[in-house]
Amino acid sequence: MASNALVLFSGGQDSTACLAWALSRFDRVETVGFDYGQRHHVELACRQNVIAEIRRQFPDWNARLGQDHLLDLGLLGQISDCALTSETEIRFAESGLPNTFVPGRNLIFLTFAATLAYRRNLGVLVTGVCETDYSGYPDCRSNTMQAMQLALNLGMEQQFRIETPLMWLDKAQTWQLAADLGGEALLDITREHSHTCYLGERNRRFDWGYGCRTCPACELRAKGYETFMKAYQGEVGR
């Protein structure tokens, strides 16, 4: 079993939970983020804040947490023409997918992550994709991840393992995972420092964190938090 992992870390709720998951399992964990001209560019600053708080509040995890990498994938944003890379109103396209879908994004992210992992001798790629509470993106599905693992291993003659700890969790369960892994401290880090909002809104604070409250990402995060808190408060009150 590989003892080292590379977490695809955007600084959002899901990747924060995945980072904690990896730090609880692997001896050495590195992180990689991507600057692809995203509309919510503020997430690149938030990801650094999340990493800093995890280092500060979790000494055991800090000892395992290695180098952070930020890759410039600006070309992806230039050719995507979607609501995540331009000032376009968020809506559903004729395909049935929201126009926040960046075609090939996760495929490209995993390819570059694997290239980095090859050089850094990291055997596991951890990504927060999910097909339970999600917007229908085809590159978040389990069969896509299985196909990518096969393609990367064939193309690089490696034995990478792609781990998707959130694949079958809804957003409430993702909040619960954070609570199980890091307790109230990790919940606070997620609420205060992680970023999910597609519009990059950081001026409005809700119980679940910062955002616009109306984009698909905020709606999923808020609904999941409400469901989680009802159960969490019941457990704490016992």
Side-chain angles (χ1 to χ4, degrees), residues 178-207:
D180 293 342
L181 292 170
E184 195 64 34
L186 188 59
L187 289 175
D188 284 343
I189 290 172
T190 304
R191 286 184 291 240
E192 187 63 30
H193 298 290
S194 73
H195 183 84
T196 298
C197 177
Y198 285 158
L199 302 184
E201 175 62 60
R202 293 293 295 180
N203 293 319
R204 300 177 65 190
R205 176 68 156 81
F206 300 91
D207 290 344

Side-chain angles (χ1 to χ4, degrees), residues 8-12 32-44 47 70-86 99-106 108-110 112 137 139 195-200 217:
L8 282 70
F9 183 65
S10 69
V32 60
F34 305 96
D35 183 352
Y36 60 98
Q38 56 266 53
R39 185 174 180 177
H40 51 308
H41 196 265
V42 68
E43 73 175 5
L44 298 182
R47 65 188 298 278
L70 181 64
L71 304 185
D72 182 359
L73 297 183
L75 180 60
L76 176 61
Q78 294 175 32
I79 65 176
S80 295
D81 188 27
C82 70
L84 278 196
T85 56
S86 63
N99 64 345
T100 52
F101 176 55
V102 183
R105 178 177 59 167
N106 285 323
I108 293 169
F109 284 0
L110 282 165
F112 275 88
Y137 299 161
D139 60 353
H195 183 84
T196 298
C197 177
Y198 285 158
L199 302 184

Side-chain angles (χ1 to χ4, degrees), residues 172 175 208 213 221-231:
W175 282 107
W208 43 266
R213 186 61 175 86
R221 178 165 169 160
K223 181 180 177 181
Y225 184 77
E226 180 181 356
T227 302
F228 158 71
M229 283 305 294
K230 288 178 180 178

